Amino acid sequence: MPRFHHANLGMPPGLDEREGAFLVGVLGYRKLVPPAELVGRAQWYEADDGSQIHLSVDPDHRPAARAHTAIEVDDGVEGRLDTAGVPYRSANAGDLVVIFCDDPAGNHWELRRPLSR
């Protein structure tokens, strides 16, 4: 049975700190140290379940028009998005709230959380 390990997302040079602040401060990932040969070219982040997001510096980065990364998040994510100044839109989908936003590099995210009761 396959198990998700990581998604690799591109970012233009110079966005390392802003991308890291989004992944750690808004989404709750923790920063890892990448292998020595990738230092300066990639950043790695990990969630509590072991799944990872890798960010690769790409001078020609262009966010995909429709592709996105979807993750499950907690109830406080909207407040963290507001505090970080990240615009988003949300909709109810059954027993979920689905939130759509972009990270500083323009990569699209779908954040899924339980509908508050």
Side-chain angles (χ1 to χ4, degrees):
M1 183 71 155
R3 186 174 90 75
F4 179 78
H5 183 267
H6 76 270
N8 184 47
L9 303 175
M11 68 175 172
L15 282 185
D16 301 41
E17 287 186 30
R18 289 182 56 208
E19 282 287 323
F22 176 80
L23 290 171
V24 173
V26 175
L27 300 184
Y29 286 89
R30 65 184 162 275
K31 188 170 185 176
L32 300 176
V33 176
E37 65 272 12
L38 296 178
V39 170
R41 295 186 333 177
Q43 293 185 27
W44 288 12
Y45 297 85
E46 187 173 66
D48 288 342
D49 69 357
S51 63
Q52 298 178 0
I53 297 294
H54 297 177
L55 297 174
S56 294
V57 176
D58 178 2
D60 298 319
H61 177 65
R62 288 180 188 83
R66 299 204 39 98
H68 62 274
T69 303
I71 62 171
E72 295 175 353
V73 295
D74 62 26
D75 285 342
V77 73
E78 289 101 322
R80 294 191 303 273
L81 288 163
D82 290 336
T83 298
V86 177
Y88 62 91
R89 61 185 172 81
S90 61
N92 291 353
D95 61 349
L96 293 175
V97 174
V98 181
I99 302 155
F100 301 95
C101 66
D102 293 343
D103 66 22
N107 299 305
H108 308 303
W109 288 82
E110 177 181 318
L111 312 176
R112 303 168 65 86
R113 69 163 180 81
L115 185 62
S116 298
R117 302 197 194 289

